[in-house]
Amino acid sequence: MKNLVILGAGTAGTTVANMLRKKLPSDWSLKIIDPDKEHLFQPDLIFIPFDMQTPEKTIRPRKDTFGKGIEWIQRQVQQVDADNNQVVLDGDEKVPYDLLVIATGCNIRPEETPGLLGEEWQRSIFDFYTLEGSIALRDALKKFDGGRVVVNTVEMPIKCPVAPLEITFLAESFFTENGIRDNVELTYVTPLDGAFTKPIAAKALGGILDDRGIKVEAEYNASEVDVDRKVLRSYDEREVPFDLLITIPTHMGAQFIEDSGLGDDLAFIPTDRHSLLAKNHDNIFVLGDATDLPTSKAGSVAHFQAEVVVDNVLHLIKGESPKAVFDGHANCFIESGYGKAMLIDFNYDTEPLPGVYPVPGLGPMSLLKETRMNHLGKLGFRWLYWNALLPARPLPVPNRMSMLGKRPPAGWGVIGAVEGAGNAA
Ligand SMILES: Cc1cc2nc3c(=O)[nH]c(=O)nc-3n(C[C@H](O)[C@H](O)[C@H](O)COP(=O)(O)OP(=O)(O)OC[C@H]3O[C@@H](n4cnc5c(N)ncnc54)[C@H](O)[C@@H]3O)c2cc1C
């Protein structure tokens, strides 16, 4: 028997396993390793603080997410011993592999910023990238009646780079709907030079921040929190006072990636941007949030990449070369409050542009425009995730980004269609 082993059973790993289970030759086994017994639908973490979703509905038993033929090993990976083609689990057990797929995502590391994890953690400083953080923020917002609210991304890359904007827009509409908007000073503090990385989307999203009276503190690299004075400080010594700080801390890949010498400084794995093979390894694929690729760390990306990884696994099994076909395709809804959302669709080479999606001329979603339909699309995505994407049912959405339906503004193409334009990571 030959062994295909997948590390991590989140969005990317589970999708690959479910796509592969009926396609692998009968002399191949399919194992997936993840210690956690529950699968969390992370996009709902932005809704919990505003009571727009319950924590219970965001999780499902992991065992129910795998189709037949997949062996789930409920253990933690300690190391990848690439020289000997084996994975070392907690307790030192070894799992040999012929082909390995790494999909262990990334997580927040608040301990990287002095002051974040001090006595104010979950008192006046909150994350919303974990279920516990999101619930604690919800409970704090119930008691909050005014003051300085600061949303800060410590450094890039982060997963779902638009989530900090979404939490800001939703907070603004929450305070307005609860009649306390006039008592709240809301500040969006970002290491980027504007609301988003690319000019057309940055203009549209920055416009919403301006229209809603949300202050922006750009090019801000947070260095520490002065807990006694409740002040966020940057390396260039700018201070931003807060009564309630919503932080998006530094993100890093899994500890075993560091311990195995497979990652960069933040434990993201250097990955070939088109074939998704780990650089310097011809039998290890990487996808999802674990890569160092210059596209968004998003579930949509994980899904588009899963198709490429599955095809390339099958090519390798047949003795063929992997195909270099991943184009960096990403799309994300951006919840903007008041029952509306935007949608963006882009790739390595093309920045988010206005237009319609997914059917040219029809939509029904609008790109880079706030609409009710986009909001309904975002809510409908939950159902799609559990019932179609994760179980790997075929969908009529192209894997590669298409220009059909997009309306580039006049003059675009000079600055827009450049390599790296989709670098929203
Ligand atoms: C607040 C928020 C909002 C988001 N909104 C959106 C959105 O609207 N649209 C969108 O497309 N994406 C969104 N995302 C991003 C999306 O959830 C992730 O990009 C996606 O889950 C990435 O999939 P992944 O499989 O790479 O990582 P994950 O889904 O995080 O899975 C990683 C898995 O690896 C396992 N693992 C980690 N370490 C080990 C180890 N040592 N051994 C074994 N297993 C291990 C973990 O237990 C986990 O199950 C959002 C994320 C957040 C946090």
Side-chain angles (χ1 to χ4, degrees), residues 7-13 33-36 42-46 62 75-78 103-107 128-129 159-160 163 166 254 256 287-290 297-302 331-333 378 381 385:
L7 310 184
T11 306
I33 305 176
D34 198 305
D36 199 336
Q42 298 175 48
D44 267 346
L45 294 175
I46 63 159
R62 199 176 296 284
R75 301 280 291 279
Q76 176 122 22
V77 175
Q78 301 287 13
T104 39
C106 62
N107 272 309
F128 64 98
Y129 269 58
K159 40 188 167 184
C160 194
E166 293 184 287
F256 80 86
L287 79 163
D289 296 348
K297 296 193 181 300
S300 59
V301 174
N331 49 41
C332 301
F333 287 105
K378 172 125 188 161
F381 186 69
Y385 182 82

Coordinates of all heavy atoms in Angstrom, one line a residue, residues 7-13 33-36 42-46 62 75-78 103-107 128-129 159-160 163 166 254 256 287-290 297-302 331-333 378 381 385, ligand 1:
L7 N -2.1 16.7 6.4 CA -1.9 17.3 7.7 C -2.9 18.5 7.9 O -2.8 19.4 7.1 CB -0.5 17.8 8.0 CG 0.6 16.7 7.7 CD1 2.0 17.3 8.1 CD2 0.3 15.4 8.4
G8 N -3.8 18.4 8.8 CA -4.8 19.5 9.0 C -6.1 19.2 8.4 O -6.1 18.9 7.1
A9 N -7.2 19.2 9.1 CA -8.5 18.9 8.6 C -9.4 20.1 8.7 O -10.6 20.0 9.2 CB -9.1 17.6 9.3
G10 N -8.9 21.2 8.3 CA -9.7 22.4 8.3 C -10.4 22.5 6.9 O -10.6 21.5 6.2
T11 N -10.6 23.7 6.4 CA -11.2 23.9 5.1 C -10.4 23.2 4.0 O -11.0 22.5 3.2 CB -11.3 25.4 4.8 OG1 -11.9 26.1 5.9 CG2 -12.0 25.7 3.5
A12 N -9.1 23.5 3.9 CA -8.3 23.0 2.8 C -8.1 21.5 2.9 O -8.4 20.8 1.9 CB -6.9 23.7 2.8
G13 N -7.7 21.0 4.0 CA -7.4 19.5 4.2 C -8.6 18.7 4.0 O -8.6 17.7 3.2
I33 N -4.8 14.0 9.4 CA -4.4 14.1 10.8 C -4.8 15.5 11.4 O -4.4 16.5 10.8 CB -2.8 13.9 11.0 CG1 -2.4 12.6 10.3 CG2 -2.4 14.0 12.4 CD1 -0.9 12.4 10.3
D34 N -5.5 15.5 12.4 CA -6.0 16.7 13.1 C -6.4 16.4 14.5 O -7.2 15.4 14.7 CB -7.1 17.4 12.3 CG -7.3 18.8 12.7 OD1 -7.4 19.2 13.9 OD2 -7.3 19.7 11.8
P35 N -5.9 17.1 15.5 CA -6.3 16.7 16.9 C -7.6 17.2 17.4 O -8.2 16.7 18.3 CB -5.2 17.4 17.8 CG -4.8 18.6 16.9 CD -5.0 18.2 15.5
D36 N -8.2 18.1 16.6 CA -9.3 18.9 17.1 C -10.6 18.2 16.7 O -10.8 17.9 15.6 CB -9.3 20.3 16.5 CG -10.1 21.3 17.2 OD1 -11.0 20.9 17.9 OD2 -9.8 22.5 17.1
Q42 N -15.0 29.5 10.2 CA -14.4 30.8 10.7 C -15.1 32.1 10.2 O -15.1 33.1 10.9 CB -12.9 30.8 10.4 CG -12.2 29.6 11.1 CD -10.7 29.5 10.7 OE1 -10.0 30.5 10.7 NE2 -10.3 28.3 10.3
P43 N -15.7 32.1 9.0 CA -16.3 33.4 8.6 C -17.4 33.9 9.5 O -17.7 35.0 9.6 CB -16.9 33.0 7.2 CG -15.9 32.0 6.7 CD -15.6 31.1 7.9
D44 N -18.0 32.9 10.3 CA -19.1 33.4 11.2 C -18.5 34.1 12.4 O -19.3 34.7 13.2 CB -19.9 32.2 11.7 CG -21.1 32.0 10.8 OD1 -21.4 32.9 10.0 OD2 -21.7 30.9 10.9
L45 N -17.2 34.1 12.6 CA -16.6 34.7 13.8 C -16.9 36.3 13.8 O -16.9 36.9 14.9 CB -15.1 34.5 13.9 CG -14.8 33.0 14.2 CD1 -13.2 32.8 14.2 CD2 -15.3 32.5 15.5
I46 N -17.1 36.8 12.6 CA -17.4 38.3 12.6 C -18.8 38.6 13.0 O -19.1 39.7 13.3 CB -17.1 38.9 11.2 CG1 -18.1 38.3 10.1 CG2 -15.7 38.8 10.8 CD1 -18.2 39.2 8.9
R62 N -16.1 17.1 13.7 CA -15.2 16.9 12.6 C -15.5 15.5 11.9 O -15.4 15.4 10.7 CB -13.8 17.0 13.0 CG -12.8 17.2 11.9 CD -11.4 17.4 12.3 NE -11.1 18.6 13.1 CZ -11.1 19.8 12.7 NH1 -11.2 20.1 11.4 NH2 -10.8 20.8 13.5
R75 N -4.7 13.2 16.2 CA -3.5 13.5 16.9 C -2.9 14.7 16.4 O -3.2 15.2 15.3 CB -2.5 12.3 16.7 CG -3.1 10.9 17.1 CD -3.0 10.7 18.6 NE -1.6 10.6 19.0 CZ -0.9 9.5 18.8 NH1 -1.4 8.4 18.3 NH2 0.4 9.4 19.2
Q76 N -1.9 15.2 17.2 CA -1.2 16.5 16.8 C 0.1 16.1 16.1 O 0.8 15.2 16.6 CB -0.9 17.2 18.1 CG -0.1 18.4 18.0 CD -0.8 19.6 18.5 OE1 -1.7 19.5 19.4 NE2 -0.4 20.8 18.0
V77 N 0.4 16.8 15.0 CA 1.7 16.6 14.4 C 2.8 17.4 15.1 O 2.6 18.5 15.4 CB 1.6 17.1 12.9 CG1 2.9 17.0 12.2 CG2 0.5 16.4 12.1
Q78 N 3.9 16.7 15.4 CA 5.0 17.3 16.1 C 6.1 17.7 15.1 O 6.8 18.6 15.4 CB 5.6 16.4 17.1 CG 4.7 15.9 18.2 CD 4.3 17.0 19.2 OE1 4.6 18.2 18.9 NE2 3.7 16.7 20.3
A103 N -1.8 21.2 5.2 CA -3.0 22.2 5.2 C -3.3 22.5 6.7 O -4.4 22.5 7.1 CB -4.2 21.5 4.6
T104 N -2.2 22.9 7.4 CA -2.4 23.2 8.9 C -2.7 24.7 9.2 O -2.7 25.0 10.4 CB -1.2 22.7 9.7 OG1 0.0 23.0 9.0 CG2 -1.3 21.2 9.9
G105 N -3.0 25.5 8.2 CA -3.5 26.8 8.4 C -2.5 27.7 9.1 O -1.3 27.5 9.1
C106 N -3.1 28.7 9.8 CA -2.3 29.6 10.7 C -3.1 30.1 11.8 O -4.4 29.9 11.8 CB -1.7 30.7 9.9 SG -2.9 31.8 9.2
N107 N -2.5 30.6 12.8 CA -3.2 31.1 14.0 C -2.7 32.4 14.6 O -1.6 32.7 14.2 CB -3.2 30.0 15.1 CG -4.4 29.0 14.9 OD1 -5.5 29.4 14.7 ND2 -4.0 27.8 14.8
F128 N -11.1 38.6 17.7 CA -12.3 37.9 17.2 C -12.0 36.8 16.2 O -12.8 36.3 15.5 CB -13.3 38.9 16.6 CG -12.8 39.5 15.3 CD1 -13.2 39.1 14.1 CD2 -12.0 40.6 15.4 CE1 -12.7 39.6 12.9 CE2 -11.5 41.2 14.2 CZ -11.8 40.8 13.0
Y129 N -10.7 36.4 16.2 CA -10.2 35.3 15.3 C -10.3 33.9 15.9 O -9.9 33.0 15.3 CB -8.8 35.6 14.8 CG -8.8 36.5 13.6 CD1 -9.4 37.7 13.5 CD2 -8.1 36.0 12.4 CE1 -9.4 38.4 12.3 CE2 -8.1 36.7 11.2 CZ -8.8 37.9 11.2 OH -8.8 38.7 10.0
K159 N -5.2 36.0 8.1 CA -6.2 35.3 7.3 C -7.4 36.3 7.1 O -7.6 37.2 8.0 CB -6.7 34.0 7.9 CG -6.9 33.9 9.4 CD -7.1 32.4 9.7 CE -7.0 32.1 11.2 NZ -7.1 30.7 11.5
C160 N -8.1 36.1 6.0 CA -9.2 37.0 5.6 C -8.8 38.4 5.8 O -9.3 39.1 6.8 CB -10.5 36.6 6.4 SG -11.9 37.4 5.6
A163 N -11.4 40.9 7.0 CA -12.2 40.8 8.2 C -12.0 42.0 9.2 O -13.0 42.4 9.8 CB -11.8 39.5 8.9
E166 N -14.5 44.4 8.0 CA -15.9 43.9 8.3 C -16.2 44.2 9.8 O -17.3 44.6 10.0 CB -16.0 42.4 8.0 CG -15.8 42.1 6.5 CD -16.0 40.6 6.2 OE1 -15.1 39.8 6.6 OE2 -17.1 40.2 5.7
A254 N 1.8 26.7 11.9 CA 1.8 25.8 13.1 C 3.3 25.6 13.6 O 4.2 25.7 12.8 CB 1.3 24.4 12.6
F256 N 4.9 23.0 14.4 CA 5.7 21.9 13.9 C 6.4 22.3 12.6 O 7.5 21.7 12.2 CB 4.9 20.6 13.7 CG 4.1 20.6 12.4 CD1 4.6 20.2 11.2 CD2 2.7 21.1 12.4 CE1 3.8 20.3 10.0 CE2 2.0 21.1 11.3 CZ 2.5 20.7 10.1
L287 N -1.2 24.0 0.8 CA -2.3 24.8 0.4 C -3.0 25.5 1.6 O -2.7 25.1 2.7 CB -3.3 24.1 -0.5 CG -4.4 23.2 0.2 CD1 -5.5 22.9 -0.8 CD2 -3.8 21.9 0.7
G288 N -3.9 26.4 1.3 CA -4.6 27.1 2.3 C -3.7 28.1 3.0 O -2.8 28.6 2.4
D289 N -4.0 28.4 4.3 CA -3.4 29.5 5.0 C -1.9 29.2 5.4 O -1.2 30.0 5.8 CB -4.1 29.8 6.3 CG -5.5 30.3 6.1 OD1 -5.8 30.7 5.0 OD2 -6.3 30.4 7.1
A290 N -1.5 27.9 5.2 CA -0.1 27.5 5.6 C 0.9 28.0 4.6 O 2.1 27.9 4.9 CB -0.1 26.0 5.7
K297 N -5.3 34.8 2.4 CA -5.5 33.6 3.2 C -7.0 33.5 3.4 O -7.5 34.1 4.4 CB -4.7 33.7 4.5 CG -3.2 33.7 4.2 CD -2.4 33.5 5.5 CE -0.9 33.6 5.2 NZ -0.4 32.7 4.2
A298 N -7.7 32.8 2.5 CA -9.2 32.7 2.6 C -9.7 31.3 2.2 O -9.0 30.6 1.5 CB -9.7 33.7 1.6
G299 N -10.8 31.0 2.7 CA -11.4 29.7 2.4 C -11.7 29.5 0.9 O -11.5 28.4 0.4
S300 N -12.0 30.6 0.2 CA -12.2 30.5 -1.2 C -10.9 30.1 -1.9 O -10.9 29.2 -2.8 CB -12.7 31.8 -1.8 OG -11.8 32.9 -1.6
V301 N -9.8 30.7 -1.5 CA -8.5 30.3 -2.1 C -8.2 28.8 -1.8 O -7.8 28.1 -2.7 CB -7.4 31.2 -1.5 CG1 -6.0 30.8 -1.9 CG2 -7.7 32.7 -1.8
A302 N -8.5 28.4 -0.5 CA -8.2 27.0 -0.2 C -9.0 26.1 -1.1 O -8.5 25.1 -1.6 CB -8.6 26.8 1.3
N331 N -11.8 35.0 -3.9 CA -12.9 36.0 -3.8 C -13.5 36.0 -2.4 O -13.4 35.0 -1.6 CB -14.1 35.7 -4.8 CG -14.5 34.3 -4.9 OD1 -14.6 33.6 -3.9 ND2 -14.8 33.8 -6.1
C332 N -13.9 37.2 -1.9 CA -14.4 37.4 -0.6 C -15.5 38.3 -0.5 O -15.5 39.4 -1.2 CB -13.3 38.1 0.3 SG -11.7 37.2 0.4
F333 N -16.5 38.0 0.2 CA -17.6 38.9 0.6 C -17.0 39.9 1.7 O -16.2 39.4 2.5 CB -18.8 38.2 1.2 CG -19.6 37.5 0.1 CD1 -19.6 36.1 0.1 CD2 -20.4 38.2 -0.8 CE1 -20.3 35.4 -0.9 CE2 -21.2 37.5 -1.7 CZ -21.1 36.1 -1.8
K378 N -23.5 36.3 1.3 CA -22.6 36.0 2.4 C -23.3 35.0 3.4 O -22.7 34.1 3.8 CB -22.1 37.2 3.1 CG -21.4 37.0 4.4 CD -20.0 37.7 4.4 CE -19.2 37.3 5.6 NZ -17.8 37.6 5.4
F381 N -23.6 31.6 2.0 CA -22.3 30.9 1.9 C -22.1 29.8 3.0 O -21.5 28.8 2.7 CB -21.2 31.9 1.9 CG -19.8 31.3 1.7 CD1 -19.4 30.9 0.4 CD2 -18.9 31.2 2.7 CE1 -18.2 30.3 0.2 CE2 -17.6 30.7 2.5 CZ -17.3 30.2 1.3
Y385 N -21.0 26.1 2.2 CA -19.7 25.6 2.8 C -20.0 24.2 3.3 O -19.2 23.3 3.0 CB -19.3 26.5 4.0 CG -18.0 26.1 4.6 CD1 -16.8 26.5 4.0 CD2 -18.0 25.4 5.8 CE1 -15.6 26.1 4.6 CE2 -16.8 25.0 6.4 CZ -15.6 25.4 5.8 OH -14.4 25.0 6.4
Ligands
LIG1 C1 -12.7 36.0 11.4 C2 -12.4 35.3 10.1 C3 -13.3 35.5 9.1 C4 -13.1 34.8 7.9 N1 -13.9 35.1 6.8 C5 -13.7 34.5 5.6 C6 -14.6 34.7 4.5 O1 -15.6 35.4 4.6 N2 -14.4 34.1 3.4 C7 -13.3 33.2 3.2 O2 -13.1 32.7 2.1 N3 -12.4 33.0 4.2 C8 -12.6 33.6 5.4 N4 -11.8 33.3 6.5 C9 -10.6 32.5 6.3 C10 -10.8 31.0 6.2 O3 -11.5 30.6 7.4 C11 -9.4 30.4 6.2 O4 -8.7 31.0 5.1 C12 -9.6 28.9 5.9 O5 -10.2 28.2 7.0 C13 -8.2 28.3 5.6 O6 -8.2 26.9 5.5 P1 -7.0 26.0 6.0 O7 -7.5 24.6 5.9 O8 -5.8 26.5 5.4 O9 -6.9 26.4 7.6 P2 -7.9 26.0 8.8 O10 -9.3 25.9 8.2 O11 -7.6 27.0 9.9 O12 -7.5 24.5 9.2 C14 -6.2 24.2 9.7 C15 -6.4 22.9 10.5 O13 -5.1 22.4 10.8 C16 -5.1 21.8 12.1 N5 -3.8 21.8 12.7 C17 -3.1 22.9 13.1 N6 -1.9 22.5 13.6 C18 -1.9 21.1 13.6 C19 -1.0 20.1 14.0 N7 0.2 20.4 14.6 N8 -1.3 18.8 13.8 C20 -2.5 18.5 13.2 N9 -3.4 19.4 12.8 C21 -3.1 20.7 13.0 C22 -6.1 22.7 12.9 O14 -6.7 22.0 14.0 C23 -7.2 23.0 11.8 O15 -8.2 22.1 11.8 C24 -12.0 33.9 7.7 C25 -11.2 33.6 8.8 C26 -11.4 34.3 10.0 C27 -10.5 34.0 11.2

